Amino acid sequence: MAPRDAEELELMLQLAIDQTTTPVTIRYPKATVPEFPSIIRQELRLGKAERMVEGEGVVLFAYGSMVENAWNALSELSKNGINATLVNARFAKPLDVEMLKSLAKDHHTLVTLEEHTLMGGFGSAVAEAVADANLGFSKVLRFGIPDEFITFGPRAKLLEDCGLDPSSIARRIVDECA
């Protein structure tokens, strides 16, 4: 699990305590905790994602700390005529395949966002689930850390270098969907 904010971290800790049938891991960054506008938070259930913003065509399927950057990219995307859906994936395992099936019905592009290595990471697992379920996305774009050495530095600069800041996210999506 990876929470989008402090409130969700508390909910995930409680879910972990209550979980008796499987091990649980919670991944969270050392970064500051984001605050989201007052939106209806959907119940936290094992393996279930949360639709935060309803859009069309393009869906941002963000994991953990990348929910904030995806959220911040929405306005730039909107300025470019892309009114994307935003989903807080919450879980890398188990993935919410039912949510992916639902999204595939009315979205042509699936964008995964993670603050992990792309190779073998969250986006890879989502791409495998999409392929295994034969879902009809015309494009799957994966945003994450490239499979190379990343030097030390301020988190914001490293995210920008990897194309994971809101502006880079929006720019790449606009370029790929044009």
Side-chain angles (χ1 to χ4, degrees):
M1 298 184 265
R4 68 174 161 115
D5 58 20
E7 183 180 343
E8 193 163 78
L9 174 59
E10 289 179 25
L11 295 170
M12 287 181 174
L13 286 169
Q14 189 59 55
L15 181 64
I17 290 167
D18 295 342
Q19 189 61 28
T20 59
T21 59
T22 183
V24 175
T25 302
I26 302 173
R27 185 177 198 279
Y28 57 93
K30 295 177 187 175
T32 57
V33 177
E35 290 184 30
F36 290 94
S38 181
I39 60 174
I40 297 171
R41 183 180 300 274
Q42 295 166 14
E43 178 187 0
L44 180 66
R45 293 189 347 235
L46 187 64
K48 294 298 174 191
E50 170 190 45
R51 241 185 242 235
M52 293 177 64
V53 175
E54 193 64 52
E56 55 189 40
V58 175
V59 58
L60 308 182
F61 202 66
Y63 182 65
S65 63
M66 286 295 100
V67 173
E68 178 182 22
N69 287 12
W71 175 272
N72 291 332
L74 289 176
S75 62
E76 188 66 32
L77 289 170
S78 181
K79 290 177 192 172
N80 286 279
I82 297 172
N83 296 309
T85 295
L86 173 59
V87 174
N88 171 14
R90 292 179 164 169
F91 297 87
K93 191 170 188 171
L95 282 174
D96 191 344
V97 177
E98 292 307 311
M99 174 70 79
L100 290 169
K101 288 177 180 177
S102 172
L103 294 166
K105 291 176 185 174
D106 52 8
H107 293 82
H108 53 77
T109 302
L110 173 65
V111 179
T112 65
L113 297 118
E114 63 185 302
E115 194 176 342
H116 315 118
T117 303
L118 282 168
M119 187 184 300
F122 170 73
S124 292
V126 172
E128 287 177 26
V130 166
D132 290 349
N134 198 26
L135 301 181
F137 293 105
S138 59
K139 275 188 187 169
V140 176
L141 306 175
R142 296 181 308 126
F143 287 71
I145 308 296
D147 189 28
E148 59 190 51
F149 178 75
I150 305 297
T151 189
F152 294 96
R155 181 175 181 269
K157 174 69 172 124
L158 297 176
L159 289 175
E160 183 180 336
D161 290 349
C162 292
L164 294 174
D165 61 299
S167 295
S168 297
I169 291 167
R171 189 170 37 256
R172 180 173 166 206
I173 293 170
V174 168
D175 289 349
E176 292 277 350
C177 293

